[in-house]
Amino acid sequence: MDVKNYKCINCGSNIEYDPNLSMFRCSSCASVFSKEDLDNFYYNVNDDDLQESTGELKLEMVGEDYNTEENQLQAYNCSNCGGEIVAQGDTVATFCPYCKSPSIIRAKLQGEFKPNYILPFKIDEKRAKELYKSWISKKIYTPKDFKTRDRVDEIKGIYAPFWLYDLEMSGGFVGTGKNVSSWRSGDYVYTKTDYYTVRRGGNNSYDKVPKDASTKMDDTMMEFIEPFDYNDMKDFSMPYMSGFFAERFDQDQDICLEDAKHKAENYFEGRLRETVRGYSSFNIINSYYNFGNIKASYAMLPTYYMINKYKDKKYDFMINGQTGKIYGNPPFSWALFLKFFFITFIICYFLVAVWGVFNA
Amino acid sequence: MLKKTKSYFIILGLLIAFVAAAGSVYAAMDAQSLYLVRDHILNTDGYLTEDELDQLESRIVEIKEKYGMEHVLVVNFKSDWGYYVPDKEKFADNIFIDNNFGAGNRKSGSILLIDFYPPPGDRDIIIRTRGDLINPFQPEVKSTIDGLASRLKDRELFAALNYYLDRQLQVHKKMGEIDEKGNYIKPPFISRLINQLADLQNAGIAAVIALVICIFPLFSYKGAKTVSSRTYEVVGSFNLTTNTDVYSHSHTTSVYDPPSSSSSSSSGGGGGSSGGGSGKF
């Protein structure tokens, strides 16, 4: 199979995408190239049999399969040093373990696996770590030695495969609105509940509702680091993946569509609910939604996956590689919780007492 | 004709005599159907021992001397003639006023009436406050009545009366002691602060506030969703086609909830204003 390394036009060393510059930078001579520079150069050097606008300097062909199970491990030869790169079946971008060259397994991005879009990283690894440190420092119930450690055990910039769905929706719901009033008459307290039948219906369109397409990615984490700003999205081009890991989808668009529909239903229902006003309480009895003009596109979205170990346990975090939004599972200390509660209680107790003195 | 007129006068005289007799009986019932067992304790029907009566009386005297508040305890107030008192709160005010209870110029103090005669569940607790005690004790009336009721249900009369004096004492401590002229001496700030800190109710309030403050950060401990129902919406595409709210029906329920534990401040019989409340047990 083909493994692609993008090389510096000047010195031939590896180049990587630099999120800070939004350009490609040589790791040796620090030359900086734009996407257009690379396109022009590689287009002139080789014919691109993938009909890509980018090309390659050298391809090392064919590796071997380590096993035959799903998600099998496969071996490739690094086009830079010839070392063996072993990657899982869905990995499309990785690094050579010997020369650390960023390597893109081009054959895995062909046909149905060729993404439509890519959203380049906006923040680099250093900035991602800074954001994490700032975020974790605000977690008051996380042990101090975990928060203040300088080292991050593992951080990977990963292009996560996503299906983006354009949807048109129609539908609505029927629900019951209640207004409750109460009054006293003699020895009796009366409570009157007025019931209303509330109907709302309409239509709406959604653009690029995301659903991660890899079973390796935690759905909850992915949902919490949303949204991505699609204004920076570009037509897919492999050089953007240089310097990052990437996975290809292992759930096709039909499987993910149900989840995307469910998300869109929640959004639409939320929109309709905003129009229900003036009730003490409201609950939906029945809802109905129809979808039309569904269009799916395949995109690579930037994420940082981070692992930190603490007392022999791994704690993982996910960072949006574009916006820096973080979701994770920091360790929780009951001792800190009780300590914080005790201090807060003492302060509140004193303040309540002072308030009592002046209001007695 | 003269004979007929005479008989009218006789009937009229009898009527006047009857009304006068009834009025005097009622008046007597209001003011004289109770008897003192101690200076501030009336009509206990033998529910309390001599020792218990002495203890209660001595506490009441101590409170009067130190805080300038005079309290009166009355147990059972069915009259000697067997009449039930029609307006028990007015009756309590009358006992307090007619017997010249109350300390200081403003005749401050309280009277507690407990009536064991009615069947359980319909027995009365009446608290009336006078003078300087009206406003400070008013917020405590309901909880005091509840506390009394729970003890009286267990037939712990002595404990209930002591509890009542304890609650009064709590309020008096906040108000301060009196000097030789009967003026209130405002306790120093530290002393009042200690009193407030000793109040378990304040500790409970502080614990609830602290818990809310401590739990709040947990809601976004892992991260917070920021996707709204409009995030992926195509701008201007939302179109509301059905928008109806139709009245369906109403449902009314009623709960029997007599204002038994209500507290009130009102003008009492015999002049001057009074506060307090009543409850059942």
Side-chain angles (χ1 to χ4, degrees), chain B residues 188-221:
Chain B
F189 177 80
I190 293 295
S191 170
R192 284 184 286 155
L193 185 64
I194 290 167
N195 276 337
Q196 289 290 334
L197 288 170
D199 191 343
L200 284 179
Q201 195 178 340
N202 286 345
I205 293 168
V208 171
I209 295 169
L211 197 62
V212 170
I213 291 171
C214 291
I215 286 174
F216 190 70
L218 291 176
F219 288 109
S220 59
Y221 199 62

PDB file of all heavy atoms in Angstrom, chain B residues 188-221:
ATOM      1  N   PRO B 188     -23.667  43.318  73.770  1.00  0.00           N
ATOM      2  CA  PRO B 188     -22.598  43.637  72.820  1.00  0.00           C
ATOM      3  C   PRO B 188     -22.698  42.746  71.579  1.00  0.00           C
ATOM      4  O   PRO B 188     -23.278  41.657  71.623  1.00  0.00           O
ATOM      5  CB  PRO B 188     -21.311  43.354  73.608  1.00  0.00           C
ATOM      6  CG  PRO B 188     -21.723  42.539  74.766  1.00  0.00           C
ATOM      7  CD  PRO B 188     -23.152  42.829  75.041  1.00  0.00           C
ATOM      8  N   PHE B 189     -22.087  43.230  70.494  1.00  0.00           N
ATOM      9  CA  PHE B 189     -22.167  42.536  69.212  1.00  0.00           C
ATOM     10  C   PHE B 189     -21.708  41.084  69.329  1.00  0.00           C
ATOM     11  O   PHE B 189     -22.360  40.169  68.818  1.00  0.00           O
ATOM     12  CB  PHE B 189     -21.311  43.290  68.182  1.00  0.00           C
ATOM     13  CG  PHE B 189     -21.276  42.619  66.850  1.00  0.00           C
ATOM     14  CD1 PHE B 189     -22.320  42.768  65.946  1.00  0.00           C
ATOM     15  CD2 PHE B 189     -20.210  41.810  66.488  1.00  0.00           C
ATOM     16  CE1 PHE B 189     -22.298  42.141  64.721  1.00  0.00           C
ATOM     17  CE2 PHE B 189     -20.188  41.173  65.260  1.00  0.00           C
ATOM     18  CZ  PHE B 189     -21.235  41.342  64.371  1.00  0.00           C
ATOM     19  N   ILE B 190     -20.599  40.889  70.028  1.00  0.00           N
ATOM     20  CA  ILE B 190     -20.037  39.534  70.144  1.00  0.00           C
ATOM     21  C   ILE B 190     -21.043  38.609  70.825  1.00  0.00           C
ATOM     22  O   ILE B 190     -21.250  37.471  70.403  1.00  0.00           O
ATOM     23  CB  ILE B 190     -18.713  39.573  70.959  1.00  0.00           C
ATOM     24  CG1 ILE B 190     -17.645  40.327  70.167  1.00  0.00           C
ATOM     25  CG2 ILE B 190     -18.227  38.167  71.303  1.00  0.00           C
ATOM     26  CD1 ILE B 190     -17.230  39.660  68.863  1.00  0.00           C
ATOM     27  N   SER B 191     -21.676  39.142  71.859  1.00  0.00           N
ATOM     28  CA  SER B 191     -22.649  38.327  72.592  1.00  0.00           C
ATOM     29  C   SER B 191     -23.825  37.941  71.695  1.00  0.00           C
ATOM     30  O   SER B 191     -24.290  36.804  71.690  1.00  0.00           O
ATOM     31  CB  SER B 191     -23.126  39.127  73.805  1.00  0.00           C
ATOM     32  OG  SER B 191     -24.215  38.485  74.387  1.00  0.00           O
ATOM     33  N   ARG B 192     -24.279  38.917  70.914  1.00  0.00           N
ATOM     34  CA  ARG B 192     -25.397  38.619  70.002  1.00  0.00           C
ATOM     35  C   ARG B 192     -24.961  37.650  68.916  1.00  0.00           C
ATOM     36  O   ARG B 192     -25.721  36.779  68.494  1.00  0.00           O
ATOM     37  CB  ARG B 192     -25.901  39.930  69.370  1.00  0.00           C
ATOM     38  CG  ARG B 192     -26.740  40.754  70.345  1.00  0.00           C
ATOM     39  CD  ARG B 192     -27.297  41.990  69.679  1.00  0.00           C
ATOM     40  NE  ARG B 192     -26.260  42.992  69.481  1.00  0.00           N
ATOM     41  CZ  ARG B 192     -26.300  43.927  68.539  1.00  0.00           C
ATOM     42  NH1 ARG B 192     -27.310  43.966  67.693  1.00  0.00           N
ATOM     43  NH2 ARG B 192     -25.341  44.804  68.430  1.00  0.00           N
ATOM     44  N   LEU B 193     -23.702  37.811  68.482  1.00  0.00           N
ATOM     45  CA  LEU B 193     -23.186  36.907  67.442  1.00  0.00           C
ATOM     46  C   LEU B 193     -23.105  35.481  67.983  1.00  0.00           C
ATOM     47  O   LEU B 193     -23.475  34.515  67.299  1.00  0.00           O
ATOM     48  CB  LEU B 193     -21.798  37.382  66.982  1.00  0.00           C
ATOM     49  CG  LEU B 193     -21.185  36.620  65.816  1.00  0.00           C
ATOM     50  CD1 LEU B 193     -22.030  36.790  64.563  1.00  0.00           C
ATOM     51  CD2 LEU B 193     -19.761  37.100  65.549  1.00  0.00           C
ATOM     52  N   ILE B 194     -22.652  35.360  69.222  1.00  0.00           N
ATOM     53  CA  ILE B 194     -22.572  34.023  69.825  1.00  0.00           C
ATOM     54  C   ILE B 194     -23.962  33.410  69.937  1.00  0.00           C
ATOM     55  O   ILE B 194     -24.167  32.226  69.686  1.00  0.00           O
ATOM     56  CB  ILE B 194     -21.866  34.100  71.205  1.00  0.00           C
ATOM     57  CG1 ILE B 194     -20.380  34.409  70.990  1.00  0.00           C
ATOM     58  CG2 ILE B 194     -22.034  32.799  71.992  1.00  0.00           C
ATOM     59  CD1 ILE B 194     -19.637  34.804  72.241  1.00  0.00           C
ATOM     60  N   ASN B 195     -24.924  34.240  70.325  1.00  0.00           N
ATOM     61  CA  ASN B 195     -26.308  33.748  70.391  1.00  0.00           C
ATOM     62  C   ASN B 195     -26.787  33.230  69.042  1.00  0.00           C
ATOM     63  O   ASN B 195     -27.443  32.206  68.947  1.00  0.00           O
ATOM     64  CB  ASN B 195     -27.246  34.874  70.846  1.00  0.00           C
ATOM     65  CG  ASN B 195     -27.273  35.002  72.348  1.00  0.00           C
ATOM     66  OD1 ASN B 195     -26.971  34.044  73.057  1.00  0.00           O
ATOM     67  ND2 ASN B 195     -27.612  36.179  72.830  1.00  0.00           N
ATOM     68  N   GLN B 196     -26.443  33.992  67.995  1.00  0.00           N
ATOM     69  CA  GLN B 196     -26.846  33.571  66.648  1.00  0.00           C
ATOM     70  C   GLN B 196     -26.125  32.286  66.241  1.00  0.00           C
ATOM     71  O   GLN B 196     -26.707  31.405  65.613  1.00  0.00           O
ATOM     72  CB  GLN B 196     -26.528  34.678  65.631  1.00  0.00           C
ATOM     73  CG  GLN B 196     -27.410  35.902  65.744  1.00  0.00           C
ATOM     74  CD  GLN B 196     -28.845  35.629  65.301  1.00  0.00           C
ATOM     75  OE1 GLN B 196     -29.098  34.753  64.502  1.00  0.00           O
ATOM     76  NE2 GLN B 196     -29.779  36.375  65.860  1.00  0.00           N
ATOM     77  N   LEU B 197     -24.847  32.196  66.595  1.00  0.00           N
ATOM     78  CA  LEU B 197     -24.081  30.995  66.234  1.00  0.00           C
ATOM     79  C   LEU B 197     -24.596  29.764  66.977  1.00  0.00           C
ATOM     80  O   LEU B 197     -24.474  28.635  66.495  1.00  0.00           O
ATOM     81  CB  LEU B 197     -22.587  31.207  66.524  1.00  0.00           C
ATOM     82  CG  LEU B 197     -21.869  32.174  65.577  1.00  0.00           C
ATOM     83  CD1 LEU B 197     -20.473  32.495  66.085  1.00  0.00           C
ATOM     84  CD2 LEU B 197     -21.792  31.614  64.166  1.00  0.00           C
ATOM     85  N   ALA B 198     -25.155  30.009  68.148  1.00  0.00           N
ATOM     86  CA  ALA B 198     -25.673  28.878  68.929  1.00  0.00           C
ATOM     87  C   ALA B 198     -27.021  28.393  68.408  1.00  0.00           C
ATOM     88  O   ALA B 198     -27.510  27.344  68.822  1.00  0.00           O
ATOM     89  CB  ALA B 198     -25.804  29.295  70.389  1.00  0.00           C
ATOM     90  N   ASP B 199     -27.576  29.153  67.484  1.00  0.00           N
ATOM     91  CA  ASP B 199     -28.886  28.794  66.945  1.00  0.00           C
ATOM     92  C   ASP B 199     -28.723  27.726  65.859  1.00  0.00           C
ATOM     93  O   ASP B 199     -28.129  27.976  64.800  1.00  0.00           O
ATOM     94  CB  ASP B 199     -29.541  30.061  66.360  1.00  0.00           C
ATOM     95  CG  ASP B 199     -31.002  29.827  66.018  1.00  0.00           C
ATOM     96  OD1 ASP B 199     -31.399  28.649  65.918  1.00  0.00           O
ATOM     97  OD2 ASP B 199     -31.731  30.822  65.845  1.00  0.00           O
ATOM     98  N   LEU B 200     -29.227  26.532  66.113  1.00  0.00           N
ATOM     99  CA  LEU B 200     -29.059  25.420  65.169  1.00  0.00           C
ATOM    100  C   LEU B 200     -29.745  25.689  63.830  1.00  0.00           C
ATOM    101  O   LEU B 200     -29.330  25.170  62.797  1.00  0.00           O
ATOM    102  CB  LEU B 200     -29.609  24.129  65.777  1.00  0.00           C
ATOM    103  CG  LEU B 200     -28.721  23.475  66.831  1.00  0.00           C
ATOM    104  CD1 LEU B 200     -29.389  22.228  67.369  1.00  0.00           C
ATOM    105  CD2 LEU B 200     -27.353  23.130  66.268  1.00  0.00           C
ATOM    106  N   GLN B 201     -30.768  26.513  63.897  1.00  0.00           N
ATOM    107  CA  GLN B 201     -31.463  26.845  62.650  1.00  0.00           C
ATOM    108  C   GLN B 201     -30.513  27.561  61.684  1.00  0.00           C
ATOM    109  O   GLN B 201     -30.521  27.303  60.483  1.00  0.00           O
ATOM    110  CB  GLN B 201     -32.658  27.732  62.964  1.00  0.00           C
ATOM    111  CG  GLN B 201     -33.635  27.824  61.811  1.00  0.00           C
ATOM    112  CD  GLN B 201     -34.845  28.679  62.164  1.00  0.00           C
ATOM    113  OE1 GLN B 201     -35.142  28.904  63.320  1.00  0.00           O
ATOM    114  NE2 GLN B 201     -35.521  29.152  61.152  1.00  0.00           N
ATOM    115  N   ASN B 202     -29.671  28.428  62.236  1.00  0.00           N
ATOM    116  CA  ASN B 202     -28.689  29.120  61.396  1.00  0.00           C
ATOM    117  C   ASN B 202     -27.694  28.138  60.810  1.00  0.00           C
ATOM    118  O   ASN B 202     -27.268  28.273  59.661  1.00  0.00           O
ATOM    119  CB  ASN B 202     -27.949  30.183  62.218  1.00  0.00           C
ATOM    120  CG  ASN B 202     -28.825  31.392  62.486  1.00  0.00           C
ATOM    121  OD1 ASN B 202     -29.853  31.556  61.831  1.00  0.00           O
ATOM    122  ND2 ASN B 202     -28.438  32.197  63.447  1.00  0.00           N
ATOM    123  N   ALA B 203     -27.313  27.148  61.611  1.00  0.00           N
ATOM    124  CA  ALA B 203     -26.378  26.128  61.116  1.00  0.00           C
ATOM    125  C   ALA B 203     -27.000  25.352  59.957  1.00  0.00           C
ATOM    126  O   ALA B 203     -26.326  25.048  58.964  1.00  0.00           O
ATOM    127  CB  ALA B 203     -26.004  25.180  62.249  1.00  0.00           C
ATOM    128  N   GLY B 204     -28.269  25.050  60.086  1.00  0.00           N
ATOM    129  CA  GLY B 204     -28.971  24.328  59.018  1.00  0.00           C
ATOM    130  C   GLY B 204     -29.025  25.141  57.736  1.00  0.00           C
ATOM    131  O   GLY B 204     -28.748  24.628  56.653  1.00  0.00           O
ATOM    132  N   ILE B 205     -29.340  26.420  57.873  1.00  0.00           N
ATOM    133  CA  ILE B 205     -29.396  27.296  56.689  1.00  0.00           C
ATOM    134  C   ILE B 205     -28.019  27.359  56.031  1.00  0.00           C
ATOM    135  O   ILE B 205     -27.883  27.238  54.811  1.00  0.00           O
ATOM    136  CB  ILE B 205     -29.873  28.713  57.093  1.00  0.00           C
ATOM    137  CG1 ILE B 205     -31.334  28.663  57.548  1.00  0.00           C
ATOM    138  CG2 ILE B 205     -29.712  29.696  55.935  1.00  0.00           C
ATOM    139  CD1 ILE B 205     -31.804  29.938  58.245  1.00  0.00           C
ATOM    140  N   ALA B 206     -26.989  27.516  56.863  1.00  0.00           N
ATOM    141  CA  ALA B 206     -25.621  27.608  56.329  1.00  0.00           C
ATOM    142  C   ALA B 206     -25.223  26.311  55.622  1.00  0.00           C
ATOM    143  O   ALA B 206     -24.578  26.345  54.572  1.00  0.00           O
ATOM    144  CB  ALA B 206     -24.642  27.907  57.464  1.00  0.00           C
ATOM    145  N   ALA B 207     -25.632  25.170  56.177  1.00  0.00           N
ATOM    146  CA  ALA B 207     -25.283  23.876  55.562  1.00  0.00           C
ATOM    147  C   ALA B 207     -25.929  23.734  54.188  1.00  0.00           C
ATOM    148  O   ALA B 207     -25.287  23.270  53.240  1.00  0.00           O
ATOM    149  CB  ALA B 207     -25.721  22.739  56.478  1.00  0.00           C
ATOM    150  N   VAL B 208     -27.177  24.154  54.091  1.00  0.00           N
ATOM    151  CA  VAL B 208     -27.875  24.054  52.789  1.00  0.00           C
ATOM    152  C   VAL B 208     -27.214  24.966  51.754  1.00  0.00           C
ATOM    153  O   VAL B 208     -26.945  24.554  50.618  1.00  0.00           O
ATOM    154  CB  VAL B 208     -29.375  24.421  52.955  1.00  0.00           C
ATOM    155  CG1 VAL B 208     -30.053  24.545  51.600  1.00  0.00           C
ATOM    156  CG2 VAL B 208     -30.081  23.371  53.802  1.00  0.00           C
ATOM    157  N   ILE B 209     -26.911  26.199  52.165  1.00  0.00           N
ATOM    158  CA  ILE B 209     -26.261  27.135  51.234  1.00  0.00           C
ATOM    159  C   ILE B 209     -24.905  26.587  50.792  1.00  0.00           C
ATOM    160  O   ILE B 209     -24.563  26.591  49.608  1.00  0.00           O
ATOM    161  CB  ILE B 209     -26.100  28.533  51.889  1.00  0.00           C
ATOM    162  CG1 ILE B 209     -27.467  29.160  52.161  1.00  0.00           C
ATOM    163  CG2 ILE B 209     -25.284  29.457  50.996  1.00  0.00           C
ATOM    164  CD1 ILE B 209     -27.411  30.413  53.028  1.00  0.00           C
ATOM    165  N   ALA B 210     -24.140  26.070  51.768  1.00  0.00           N
ATOM    166  CA  ALA B 210     -22.807  25.541  51.452  1.00  0.00           C
ATOM    167  C   ALA B 210     -22.902  24.354  50.498  1.00  0.00           C
ATOM    168  O   ALA B 210     -22.099  24.224  49.571  1.00  0.00           O
ATOM    169  CB  ALA B 210     -22.101  25.136  52.746  1.00  0.00           C
ATOM    170  N   LEU B 211     -23.893  23.505  50.713  1.00  0.00           N
ATOM    171  CA  LEU B 211     -24.056  22.330  49.845  1.00  0.00           C
ATOM    172  C   LEU B 211     -24.372  22.749  48.409  1.00  0.00           C
ATOM    173  O   LEU B 211     -23.807  22.208  47.453  1.00  0.00           O
ATOM    174  CB  LEU B 211     -25.174  21.438  50.394  1.00  0.00           C
ATOM    175  CG  LEU B 211     -25.206  20.012  49.856  1.00  0.00           C
ATOM    176  CD1 LEU B 211     -23.935  19.269  50.224  1.00  0.00           C
ATOM    177  CD2 LEU B 211     -26.419  19.266  50.384  1.00  0.00           C
ATOM    178  N   VAL B 212     -25.250  23.727  48.285  1.00  0.00           N
ATOM    179  CA  VAL B 212     -25.597  24.219  46.935  1.00  0.00           C
ATOM    180  C   VAL B 212     -24.359  24.794  46.254  1.00  0.00           C
ATOM    181  O   VAL B 212     -24.077  24.504  45.086  1.00  0.00           O
ATOM    182  CB  VAL B 212     -26.714  25.292  47.025  1.00  0.00           C
ATOM    183  CG1 VAL B 212     -26.907  25.980  45.689  1.00  0.00           C
ATOM    184  CG2 VAL B 212     -28.015  24.656  47.481  1.00  0.00           C
ATOM    185  N   ILE B 213     -23.588  25.574  47.016  1.00  0.00           N
ATOM    186  CA  ILE B 213     -22.368  26.180  46.442  1.00  0.00           C
ATOM    187  C   ILE B 213     -21.383  25.091  46.016  1.00  0.00           C
ATOM    188  O   ILE B 213     -20.763  25.177  44.954  1.00  0.00           O
ATOM    189  CB  ILE B 213     -21.714  27.141  47.474  1.00  0.00           C
ATOM    190  CG1 ILE B 213     -22.607  28.366  47.676  1.00  0.00           C
ATOM    191  CG2 ILE B 213     -20.325  27.573  47.012  1.00  0.00           C
ATOM    192  CD1 ILE B 213     -22.181  29.266  48.828  1.00  0.00           C
ATOM    193  N   CYS B 214     -21.264  24.041  46.818  1.00  0.00           N
ATOM    194  CA  CYS B 214     -20.285  22.983  46.528  1.00  0.00           C
ATOM    195  C   CYS B 214     -20.730  22.085  45.380  1.00  0.00           C
ATOM    196  O   CYS B 214     -19.895  21.571  44.640  1.00  0.00           O
ATOM    197  CB  CYS B 214     -20.041  22.134  47.771  1.00  0.00           C
ATOM    198  SG  CYS B 214     -19.186  23.038  49.048  1.00  0.00           S
ATOM    199  N   ILE B 215     -22.026  21.899  45.250  1.00  0.00           N
ATOM    200  CA  ILE B 215     -22.518  21.007  44.182  1.00  0.00           C
ATOM    201  C   ILE B 215     -22.499  21.714  42.832  1.00  0.00           C
ATOM    202  O   ILE B 215     -22.313  21.080  41.798  1.00  0.00           O
ATOM    203  CB  ILE B 215     -23.937  20.497  44.536  1.00  0.00           C
ATOM    204  CG1 ILE B 215     -23.828  19.446  45.642  1.00  0.00           C
ATOM    205  CG2 ILE B 215     -24.645  19.907  43.332  1.00  0.00           C
ATOM    206  CD1 ILE B 215     -25.160  18.981  46.170  1.00  0.00           C
ATOM    207  N   PHE B 216     -22.641  23.024  42.863  1.00  0.00           N
ATOM    208  CA  PHE B 216     -22.742  23.783  41.617  1.00  0.00           C
ATOM    209  C   PHE B 216     -21.600  23.490  40.629  1.00  0.00           C
ATOM    210  O   PHE B 216     -21.868  23.245  39.448  1.00  0.00           O
ATOM    211  CB  PHE B 216     -22.816  25.277  41.947  1.00  0.00           C
ATOM    212  CG  PHE B 216     -23.149  26.130  40.767  1.00  0.00           C
ATOM    213  CD1 PHE B 216     -24.411  26.106  40.208  1.00  0.00           C
ATOM    214  CD2 PHE B 216     -22.184  26.938  40.183  1.00  0.00           C
ATOM    215  CE1 PHE B 216     -24.714  26.882  39.103  1.00  0.00           C
ATOM    216  CE2 PHE B 216     -22.472  27.716  39.081  1.00  0.00           C
ATOM    217  CZ  PHE B 216     -23.743  27.684  38.542  1.00  0.00           C
ATOM    218  N   PRO B 217     -20.342  23.473  41.064  1.00  0.00           N
ATOM    219  CA  PRO B 217     -19.262  23.223  40.090  1.00  0.00           C
ATOM    220  C   PRO B 217     -19.318  21.826  39.466  1.00  0.00           C
ATOM    221  O   PRO B 217     -18.747  21.612  38.399  1.00  0.00           O
ATOM    222  CB  PRO B 217     -17.985  23.363  40.933  1.00  0.00           C
ATOM    223  CG  PRO B 217     -18.372  24.096  42.136  1.00  0.00           C
ATOM    224  CD  PRO B 217     -19.800  23.748  42.404  1.00  0.00           C
ATOM    225  N   LEU B 218     -20.011  20.899  40.105  1.00  0.00           N
ATOM    226  CA  LEU B 218     -20.055  19.531  39.576  1.00  0.00           C
ATOM    227  C   LEU B 218     -20.847  19.443  38.266  1.00  0.00           C
ATOM    228  O   LEU B 218     -20.643  18.523  37.481  1.00  0.00           O
ATOM    229  CB  LEU B 218     -20.673  18.575  40.609  1.00  0.00           C
ATOM    230  CG  LEU B 218     -19.825  18.313  41.844  1.00  0.00           C
ATOM    231  CD1 LEU B 218     -20.586  17.434  42.819  1.00  0.00           C
ATOM    232  CD2 LEU B 218     -18.515  17.633  41.462  1.00  0.00           C
ATOM    233  N   PHE B 219     -21.755  20.401  38.058  1.00  0.00           N
ATOM    234  CA  PHE B 219     -22.575  20.340  36.844  1.00  0.00           C
ATOM    235  C   PHE B 219     -21.735  20.498  35.572  1.00  0.00           C
ATOM    236  O   PHE B 219     -22.108  20.010  34.522  1.00  0.00           O
ATOM    237  CB  PHE B 219     -23.677  21.410  36.894  1.00  0.00           C
ATOM    238  CG  PHE B 219     -24.746  21.085  37.885  1.00  0.00           C
ATOM    239  CD1 PHE B 219     -24.888  21.793  39.056  1.00  0.00           C
ATOM    240  CD2 PHE B 219     -25.618  20.038  37.646  1.00  0.00           C
ATOM    241  CE1 PHE B 219     -25.861  21.482  39.978  1.00  0.00           C
ATOM    242  CE2 PHE B 219     -26.606  19.720  38.562  1.00  0.00           C
ATOM    243  CZ  PHE B 219     -26.722  20.439  39.731  1.00  0.00           C
ATOM    244  N   SER B 220     -20.645  21.218  35.674  1.00  0.00           N
ATOM    245  CA  SER B 220     -19.807  21.382  34.478  1.00  0.00           C
ATOM    246  C   SER B 220     -18.408  20.830  34.730  1.00  0.00           C
ATOM    247  O   SER B 220     -17.434  21.307  34.173  1.00  0.00           O
ATOM    248  CB  SER B 220     -19.741  22.857  34.095  1.00  0.00           C
ATOM    249  OG  SER B 220     -19.212  23.600  35.171  1.00  0.00           O
ATOM    250  N   TYR B 221     -18.347  19.817  35.576  1.00  0.00           N
ATOM    251  CA  TYR B 221     -17.037  19.308  35.978  1.00  0.00           C
ATOM    252  C   TYR B 221     -16.296  18.667  34.807  1.00  0.00           C
ATOM    253  O   TYR B 221     -15.096  18.830  34.647  1.00  0.00           O
ATOM    254  CB  TYR B 221     -17.214  18.296  37.106  1.00  0.00           C
ATOM    255  CG  TYR B 221     -15.951  18.061  37.893  1.00  0.00           C
ATOM    256  CD1 TYR B 221     -15.350  19.105  38.593  1.00  0.00           C
ATOM    257  CD2 TYR B 221     -15.352  16.816  37.939  1.00  0.00           C
ATOM    258  CE1 TYR B 221     -14.200  18.912  39.309  1.00  0.00           C
ATOM    259  CE2 TYR B 221     -14.192  16.608  38.658  1.00  0.00           C
ATOM    260  CZ  TYR B 221     -13.623  17.665  39.344  1.00  0.00           C
ATOM    261  OH  TYR B 221     -12.467  17.467  40.041  1.00  0.00           O
TER     262      TYR B 221
END
